[in-house]
Amino acid sequence: MAAESLSRVVRLGGEWLSSSSVFELASGLARLALDSSAISKLSSSAGPEVSFSIPDDLTIEETRASVLFQDGGVPQQNDVDYYSLAALDGISALLDHGSSALGPVADAVAALSCEALRADLSCFNLTDSGDGSSAKDDVAVASDFKVFFNGSKLVVNSNNPASATPAISRIPAVYGNFREVCRLLHYRTRVQLSCAAFRAGSAEAMSTALSSLALALYNLADTSSSRAKLLLDSLPSDELRSILGAQRSSSNIDSIKQLLSYSQAALIDKDYIRSVHQIYCLLEAVRKTVCWEATVAFVSLEGGGIIAAVTESKNPPLSAPTGADKKKGERRKKVLGKGSSALMQFIKESLLSGDGAANETNSISASTLFEKWAQDFLFFLDPRNSRFEILLEKLKDIVASNESRRLPKLPKGTRDFAKEQMTVREKAFSIIVDVFKRHGATALDTPAFELRETLMGKYGEDSKLIYDLSDQGGELCSLRYDLTVPFARYVAMNGLTSFKRYQIAKVYRRDNPSKGRFREFYQCDFDIAGQLEKMGPDFEVIKILTELLNELDIGDYEVKLNHRKLLDGMMAICGVPQEKFRTICSSIDKLDKQSFEQIKREMVNEKGLTEEVADAIGTFVKERGPPMELLCKLKRKGSEFLENIESHLALNELEILFKALGKAKCDSKVVFDLSLARGLDYYTGVIFEAVFKGSTQVGSIAAGGRYDNLVGMFGTKQVPAVGISLGIERVFVIMEQLQKDRNETMRPTETEVLVSILGDDLSLGAELASELWDAKVKAEYMLDKRLMKHIGRARDSRIPWMLIVGENELSQGVVKLKDVVAAKDYDIPRSRLVEELCRRLNK
């Protein structure tokens, strides 16, 4: 095609080329035009003249793409030749465009294969947990595939992911990874194409993305080929299998594996032209594999009449089906999902369009027809084909317009709680409130958001996690980060000098979600404010913590304990400048997640400590052990801690506390740990943190400490306080896992009686249920003529008693009381119903 005849023009000037533009120019689908700014720039360029040779094995598209970037400037990497870098950029742009185009097509073809294979879709039952523990791309793939399957009568869902064949079960992970890798390549390519010159290190950065793409392409081809083979084996005719199997040679998985091996070896050798060429060939081979899968899936789903003809007669001419054939076809009619059906219709219209298509199909052999279909699919799924963009738009419409795709989703770091989970939560909250009330606390509730000035400056480096709200009416507000600062604000605002309170409420943190870490979660707080006996409140909150964790029955745990003044004394002894005490505490607080070597690098490189000071801190933070044992070690004669006023005071306070904990028989759960720092700025005395020691890794599950100056930040007088905060969400994770491990199930309701009306008389159901409700009996009613429906409802909900009323019971003036567990029935006079039922329920 002459350049002048191309209507699409890519203009090079002020803006950089996109991957799509590079593809169009390299494929001869568009012509290049230079605007005045580009011409001026070229004419004024005084760069050195560069000569290069083009490798013979590059395709015409690769060559054109490479030449486009010969004016990228002089390379800054002396060990890589000029043309290699240009080729890397140009062919990477082709790969970026090609892989992005292949993704949705591969998804759609795999969906058709799943329909044809009558696949088990359990592996697509993925949801985003919101806590970072699920692969978002895997979940997105599963969601998109469900759109194709919506309404299908072919696929099944056994809710058992292990029952699916690997060619199906691997789809979410393999195709999700492919999406992730395509995004990385697109990002790297966009960065490189937008640069005016080659950047140092750009080749290495691009090669990382290309290496990932090559492996992702191989995995995609592997699953695609496996599904095609399964489809091939499921066809009823040997001849049909032979005809379609012959189309496999161009997409042989062994040749694809060889291309992968060549490309990776070339990348290691920094032979960028050879490596990127091999990956380009790999992409084309994978496209052919997907086309082969598409052909076999299409024949399997749509070629019923043809398959029957091939089965009944060897290589017959194709003709219009007879009446008998039509009846057979009707019996074999396949009900596809809405998305799959729309896609199949589009493919048929595209492949079989043309005036002579029907006549041509009727006059050729099955062998020739299938060969033609294979070639048609290769052309149809080629990005250079004018209808390919229409196909992509069709796929986009299918995915975007289907109702199941429009299901709402949760924000990251949040969760819904189903009835079974709420049963566990309500039980836990009941235990927690009971413990808090046992210690004389009263309930308090505060707003979910506070003035921003109330929260800022209280959380040290964690202040960056505070959720700020948009200005609404002249006040700058933020969602509460915890319940302690609002409590201190309340005490100061109301002029209280003594207050023992508990609060269970949600708090919010702009954190990165992970397993056990959320952006919205409950905290359960208990605080004691006021000038009371020395270390008395500190003892009580730690005792409460052990009571809570014991009664929640989560398993083994330990309470790590330290003193903020002991930490300050330790840092003074080590030589840390006083103005860096708080920021170094924040570093030390990460020791439960990072090694000391990592923390040391942070303290030295980022926070300005010397190596000697950091090493001195390292010797102290390794100290941990039984409370009284380590305390005696730190108080022995000649100890540096006794020479520091702050640390000496802390050791004396800890001695009082440890003795009280010993008398209360809860010191066995306490570990004196000098690495515990608690990064929050407002702590002034004892600090502690509870850690679960079981197999479920969730981090700390409770924490707290003394904060004598926090209330004074909001008022004119200081009110000392100490408190504990239970991270109940992490406790729930543990409880739910223990429930699974023990194979326990909890009743989601407390219903005691199911009122079963064998008919549709609502007034009778209302009368009987209301009598029970008035007697404080927990009851539900159900109207249905079928007795087994009632029994099934009672068994599924584990309701212990049924009250059955049908025509016989009404005529006899009785009701039938059924013990569901014992399977025994009792006839009770209607007048004595409530009395007898309450007796049996011990009410």
Side-chain angles (χ1 to χ4, degrees):
M1 183 182 293
E4 290 76 9
S5 66
L6 295 174
S7 59
R8 173 85 170 97
V9 177
V10 175
R11 190 167 296 280
L12 185 61
E15 296 185 358
W16 45 274
L17 290 172
S18 66
S19 293
S20 296
S21 298
V22 174
F23 167 75
E24 289 176 338
L25 290 169
S27 302
L29 302 176
R31 58 189 176 90
L32 180 66
L34 299 178
D35 66 13
S36 57
S37 64
I39 295 172
S40 175
K41 180 181 176 183
L42 287 172
S43 62
S44 62
S45 175
E49 190 173 306
V50 179
S51 62
F52 55 89
S53 60
I54 300 174
D56 294 334
D57 55 350
L58 292 189
T59 65
I60 186 63
E61 291 84 2
E62 292 175 288
T63 302
R64 288 171 177 168
S66 303
V67 172
L68 281 173
F69 294 92
Q70 292 309 306
D71 268 321
V74 179
Q76 299 173 18
Q77 295 116 308
N78 296 324
D79 59 332
V80 181
D81 69 85
Y82 182 71
Y83 183 75
S84 291
L85 290 171
L88 183 63
D89 283 355
I91 303 175
S92 292
L94 296 181
L95 290 170
D96 176 30
H97 180 272
S99 57
S100 298
L102 177 64
V105 172
D107 289 354
V109 171
L112 294 182
S113 292
C114 289
E115 295 262 27
L117 290 168
R118 300 177 182 270
D120 187 337
L121 303 185
S122 301
C123 58
F124 296 99
N125 295 337
L126 303 180
T127 55
D128 187 353
S129 63
D131 63 359
S133 63
S134 55
K136 292 188 177 296
D137 287 304
D138 297 15
V139 175
V141 166
S143 177
D144 288 347
F145 271 65
K146 288 178 184 177
V147 171
F148 287 96
F149 303 142
N150 186 19
S152 172
K153 300 298 183 182
L154 297 181
V155 295
V156 297
N157 197 331
S158 69
N159 291 318
N160 180 17
S163 64
T165 177
I168 304 298
S169 62
R170 291 173 60 202
I171 288 175
V174 170
Y175 284 59
N177 176 251
F178 186 70
R179 290 187 183 187
E180 182 181 356
V181 168
C182 287
R183 278 202 310 274
L184 172 62
L185 177 64
H186 181 68
Y187 165 74
R188 287 294 180 193
T189 306
R190 186 178 60 184
V191 169
Q192 190 56 34
L193 296 187
S194 65
C195 290
F198 298 108
R199 298 172 297 107
S202 60
E204 288 80 359
M206 185 65 78
S207 65
T208 301
L210 291 171
S211 177
S212 299
L213 175 66
L215 187 57
L217 282 168
Y218 170 75
N219 288 331
L220 190 145
D222 185 37
T223 55
S224 175
S225 178
S226 297
R227 285 189 299 275
K229 290 175 185 175
L230 289 174
L231 286 168
L232 205 61
D233 292 341
S234 68
L235 296 177
S237 162
D238 291 338
E239 184 169 358
L240 193 57
R241 287 194 291 272
S242 176
I243 294 170
L244 290 172
Q247 310 301 321
R248 191 195 315 180
S249 58
S250 63
S251 58
N252 186 282
I253 195 65
D254 291 331
S255 64
I256 291 175
K257 187 184 296 185
Q258 195 171 47
L259 286 169
L260 171 65
S261 177
Y262 289 160
S263 67
Q264 301 295 66
L267 281 174
I268 293 172
D269 294 338
K270 295 189 177 181
D271 186 347
Y272 294 119
I273 292 184
R274 185 162 62 92
S275 65
V276 79
H277 169 65
Q278 295 291 346
I279 298 173
Y280 187 75
C281 294
L282 175 63
L283 174 63
E284 178 62 14
V286 174
R287 186 182 72 83
K288 291 179 178 178
T289 300
V290 173
C291 289
W292 180 53
E293 181 188 1
T295 305
V296 183
F298 181 76
V299 170
S300 182
L301 288 171
E302 195 59 32
I306 300 169
I307 292 172
V310 173
T311 303
E312 293 165 9
S313 174
K314 289 193 174 183
N315 208 18
L318 297 173
S319 58
T322 64
D325 290 333
K326 286 182 178 179
K327 288 182 179 180
K328 289 180 183 178
E330 289 172 2
R331 286 197 298 270
R332 290 192 296 266
K333 187 176 181 181
K334 301 178 175 69
V335 181
L336 302 178
K338 292 181 180 178
S340 301
S341 180
L343 176 59
M344 286 292 291
Q345 185 61 34
F346 179 78
I347 292 174
K348 284 188 287 185
E349 290 172 358
S350 299
L351 293 186
L352 304 180
S353 61
D355 295 335
N359 293 331
E360 180 185 352
T361 298
N362 290 335
S363 64
I364 63 176
S365 68
S367 175
T368 306
L369 175 65
F370 292 139
E371 289 175 7
K372 179 180 181 300
W373 279 1
Q375 292 303 313
D376 286 347
F377 268 109
L378 273 175
F379 179 71
F380 181 54
L381 301 182
D382 189 336
R384 291 166 293 192
N385 177 14
S386 59
R387 290 187 61 81
F388 186 78
E389 287 297 326
I390 302 174
L391 171 63
L392 290 184
E393 285 300 317
K394 182 66 178 178
L395 295 177
K396 183 178 178 181
D397 290 344
I398 289 173
V399 171
S401 64
N402 195 281
E403 289 183 355
S404 65
R405 178 60 176 170
R406 295 184 178 179
L407 290 174
K409 58 176 290 187
L410 283 170
K412 290 192 299 183
T414 63
R415 293 193 295 172
D416 287 326
F417 298 98
K419 56 187 180 181
E420 294 82 7
Q421 293 169 302
M422 285 305 301
T423 303
V424 175
R425 295 169 77 85
E426 288 175 350
K427 176 185 175 183
F429 282 140
S430 175
I431 292 171
I432 292 165
V433 170
D434 184 59
V435 172
F436 287 163
K437 288 185 175 181
R438 188 186 308 158
H439 288 261
T442 56
L444 173 70
D445 191 25
T446 57
F449 55 92
E450 298 272 352
L451 291 176
R452 189 177 302 170
E453 64 190 42
T454 299
L455 303 181
M456 298 308 293
K458 313 299 189 304
Y459 304 108
E461 295 182 1
D462 283 348
S463 293
K464 64 180 180 292
L465 302 181
I466 293 174
Y467 263 115
D468 292 331
L469 301 178
S470 298
D471 182 8
Q472 300 287 341
E475 288 187 332
L476 297 177
C477 297
S478 300
L479 293 176
R480 61 188 174 205
Y481 177 89
D482 66 5
L483 301 178
T484 305
V485 170
F487 167 68
R489 188 264 308 152
Y490 176 86
V491 171
M493 197 173 77
N494 290 278
L496 304 178
T497 57
S498 179
F499 190 27
K500 183 185 285 189
R501 81 89 170 86
Y502 74 88
Q503 183 175 359
I504 299 177
K506 289 182 176 180
V507 298
Y508 304 87
R509 297 186 184 176
R510 194 163 51 86
D511 207 346
N512 289 321
S514 60
K515 189 171 181 61
R517 184 180 292 272
F518 304 94
R519 289 181 168 180
E520 177 195 65
F521 56 94
Y522 272 99
Q523 279 190 343
C524 304
D525 278 27
F526 181 100
D527 292 81
I528 302 173
Q531 194 70 51
L532 302 168
E533 63 280 353
K534 192 171 187 178
M535 303 308 293
D538 307 72
F539 152 73
E540 187 170 5
V541 294
I542 296 172
K543 181 68 171 70
I544 288 171
L545 174 57
T546 59
E547 289 179 14
L548 284 173
L549 298 181
N550 289 339
E551 294 187 30
L552 288 170
D553 191 27
I554 62 171
D556 196 15
Y557 67 90
E558 69 176 19
V559 179
K560 297 192 292 185
L561 187 146
N562 201 358
H563 199 295
R564 203 56 177 268
K565 291 179 180 177
L566 188 63
L567 271 172
D568 289 348
M570 179 187 76
M571 283 187 280
I573 292 168
C574 293
V576 179
Q578 187 170 3
E579 65 273 13
K580 294 187 177 181
F581 279 11
R582 293 287 78 86
T583 186
I584 297 303
C585 272
S586 295
S587 297
I588 295 173
D589 192 42
K590 302 172 187 175
L591 278 170
D592 60 336
K593 306 178 188 72
Q594 301 178 25
S595 68
F596 179 74
E597 286 304 315
Q598 292 173 298
I599 300 301
K600 178 181 175 181
R601 282 195 294 271
E602 178 181 312
M603 292 190 294
V604 173
N605 298 336
E606 299 177 24
K607 300 187 175 180
L609 293 189
T610 65
E611 294 242 358
E612 292 75 14
V613 171
D615 288 335
I617 292 173
T619 60
F620 283 120
V621 296
K622 294 174 184 176
E623 295 283 358
R624 75 188 306 268
M628 289 303 297
E629 184 179 314
L630 182 54
L631 181 71
C632 292
K633 180 179 177 180
L634 298 180
K635 291 190 72 173
R636 69 188 175 190
K637 189 175 181 180
S639 171
E640 293 176 286
F641 287 103
L642 297 180
E643 298 173 5
N644 181 279
I645 297 175
E646 293 286 297
S647 59
H648 194 174
L649 175 63
L651 290 174
N652 290 337
E653 290 183 348
L654 289 174
E655 185 172 7
I656 298 171
L657 175 63
F658 292 158
K659 287 180 178 178
L661 292 173
K663 290 295 184 180
K665 296 182 174 58
C666 60
D667 59 337
S668 61
K669 293 292 185 180
V670 177
V671 176
F672 190 4
D673 190 338
L674 295 190
S675 70
L676 181 67
R678 302 291 297 146
L680 303 183
D681 279 359
Y682 53 67
Y683 286 125
T684 59
V686 169
I687 51 177
F688 48 87
E689 181 177 275
V691 178
F692 179 61
K693 297 174 70 176
S695 58
T696 305
Q697 299 299 313
V698 293
S700 65
I701 52 178
R706 174 163 287 279
Y707 50 98
D708 288 346
N709 302 327
L710 185 57
V711 176
M713 292 182 181
F714 303 109
T716 57
K717 55 185 176 182
Q718 295 287 3
V719 180
V722 63
I724 175 183
S725 179
L726 180 67
I728 191 63
E729 300 292 350
R730 296 183 179 184
V731 172
F732 288 145
V733 171
I734 297 168
M735 294 177 72
E736 289 167 8
Q737 186 59 50
L738 288 174
Q739 197 175 44
K740 290 179 183 177
D741 294 343
R742 297 167 181 168
N743 200 25
E744 295 176 348
T745 55
M746 296 185 67
R747 284 187 61 196
T749 71
E750 298 180 8
T751 305
E752 298 168 306
V753 183
L754 176 64
V755 177
S756 297
I757 306 300
L758 301 182
D760 55 5
D761 189 347
L762 175 61
S763 60
L764 178 59
E767 177 187 0
L768 292 172
S770 295
E771 288 183 22
L772 299 181
W773 291 332
D774 292 342
K776 307 299 186 252
V777 174
K778 297 171 183 175
E780 298 179 54
Y781 69 88
M782 178 178 175
L783 310 179
D784 198 294
K785 295 179 180 179
R786 295 164 293 182
L787 177 60
M788 291 310 298
K789 282 284 186 181
H790 294 270
I791 294 175
R793 165 82 174 275
R795 286 174 176 168
D796 290 344
S797 300
R798 287 184 287 167
I799 301 173
W801 293 93
M802 293 176 64
L803 195 64
I804 302 171
V805 181
E807 292 181 1
N808 291 338
E809 287 77 16
L810 286 173
S811 63
Q812 297 173 22
V814 298
V815 294
K816 189 182 295 296
L817 188 62
K818 184 177 186 66
D819 184 335
V820 178
V821 178
K824 292 183 178 180
D825 297 342
Y826 308 92
D827 287 338
I828 297 173
R830 171 69 180 83
S831 59
R832 294 183 53 229
L833 165 63
V834 175
E835 175 189 347
E836 182 63 24
L837 189 55
C838 287
R839 182 183 69 81
R840 292 178 182 272
L841 294 173
N842 296 319
K843 288 186 178 293

